[in-house]
Amino acid sequence: KEEYVAFWEALCNAESAPVKDFEHDVFEACMPIEEMAARGEDTMRFGPLKPVGLIDPRNGKEAYAVVQLRQDNAAASLYNLVGFQTHLKWPEQRRVFGMIPGLENAEFVRFGVMHKNTYLNSPQLLDKHFNLRSNKRFYFAGQMTGVEGYVESAASGLMAGLAAARAVLELPEVEFPDVTAHGALANYISNPAIENFQPMNINFGLIPPLTVRIRKKREKNAQIAARALEALDGFLPTLKTEHA
């Protein structure tokens, strides 16, 4: 905790670079790490530094906070600090991020910067198959459709690719059940009733609720997941259609 609090205080007091007007309007999940820290001492611990479920095998304990490093090259000599978008000046990044245990002697080969994602107004342009409503020859997938995250982007690619292949093979269209994560994402990006469309990670809030009320969140989510798996068991065999 002492290491985390010291890091949090340094981050809150670090010097940022000037920002342009468009850089103030960012997707919530891509918020600069220093702005996240400014919201409160524990905000990062419920975001990119969330330690829940990660047990240190050396002592069997859960850390107060964790930092995710993503391997960026085959030699395992280059790693990315996940979730550390930032406006901090580069010397400040070296000073503050070097306070993270294990990174004291790290060489920072590329400093963090903010980036602006461009995406379609999908609810007005795409249907549930990620197919352009106005021209059925075109399919879109990935973050440009308004899904956020690696898994979600892969899921959109799967759905768009499946739909495009079935169209070429002249097979009937299929839709993932609404109660599955795939179906919920497809519904979200294609719902024309959404006026202020924003990129979205998959979450339980996008999936239709259960028909019975369950107070305990863990139990409720487990039942939502079980319902989705059951729906997939019924859906997947429909894809096994032979085509001569």
Side-chain angles (χ1 to χ4, degrees):
K1 178 177 180 179
E2 291 75 14
E3 292 170 329
Y4 172 83
V5 171
F7 169 70
W8 170 72
E9 290 177 342
L11 191 54
C12 288
N13 294 303
E15 186 177 1
S16 294
V19 297
K20 297 180 173 61
D21 290 341
F22 74 86
E23 293 178 299
H24 290 287
D25 185 20
V26 297
F27 175 48
E28 185 78 9
C30 294
M31 182 184 305
I33 190 69
E34 64 272 14
E35 290 186 21
M36 194 178 300
R39 291 189 173 188
E41 181 178 322
D42 287 327
T43 304
M44 293 186 295
R45 296 180 60 243
F46 287 87
L49 274 67
K50 188 175 183 178
V52 176
L54 299 175
I55 306 301
D56 189 336
R58 297 169 299 180
N59 55 27
K61 296 181 179 179
E62 185 178 272
Y64 191 75
V66 299
V67 173
Q68 180 184 348
L69 299 178
R70 184 184 67 218
Q71 183 176 325
D72 271 5
N73 66 346
S77 61
L78 188 67
Y79 289 84
N80 183 289
L81 278 168
V82 178
F84 275 65
Q85 299 82 213
T86 181
H87 287 305
L88 294 186
K89 291 186 174 181
W90 288 359
E92 290 288 77
Q93 291 187 42
R94 183 186 294 108
R95 177 181 69 84
V96 177
F97 298 157
M99 296 174 63
I100 297 172
L103 300 185
E104 300 91 340
N105 300 314
E107 177 188 358
F108 290 84
V109 298
R110 185 174 65 243
F111 292 104
V113 295
M114 292 296 297
H115 65 276
K116 184 175 178 66
N117 285 345
T118 300
Y119 54 93
L120 300 172
N121 184 8
S122 293
Q124 304 303 320
L125 299 174
L126 305 182
D127 62 19
K128 290 184 179 181
H129 308 286
F130 293 80
N131 194 190
L132 190 64
R133 297 180 195 270
S134 61
N135 191 326
K136 294 299 183 179
R137 295 180 302 161
F138 294 95
Y139 293 81
F140 292 84
Q143 287 186 308
M144 71 182 305
T145 65
V147 301
E148 184 69 23
Y150 298 121
V151 174
E152 292 87 344
S153 294
S156 71
L158 170 66
M159 289 185 281
L162 177 64
R166 293 183 72 87
V168 170
L169 296 172
E170 298 182 347
L171 294 173
E173 290 183 332
V174 293
E175 294 180 6
F176 279 81
D178 293 348
V179 296
T180 65
H182 285 74
L185 272 179
N187 285 337
Y188 176 71
I189 66 96
S190 64
N191 182 1
I194 298 176
E195 296 182 357
N196 184 24
F197 181 64
Q198 296 292 324
M200 183 74 72
N201 294 96
I202 186 61
N203 61 79
F204 284 104
L206 293 182
I207 300 174
L210 297 169
T211 55
V212 295
R213 181 175 175 81
I214 299 176
R215 297 182 64 86
K216 293 183 178 180
K217 183 177 179 180
R218 185 183 295 272
E219 181 182 345
K220 179 181 69 175
N221 290 347
Q223 290 204 26
I224 291 174
R227 181 186 63 178
L229 292 174
E230 183 179 353
L232 283 174
D233 285 341
F235 168 74
L236 293 178
T238 67
L239 302 181
K240 299 177 181 178
T241 304
E242 293 184 4
H243 184 79

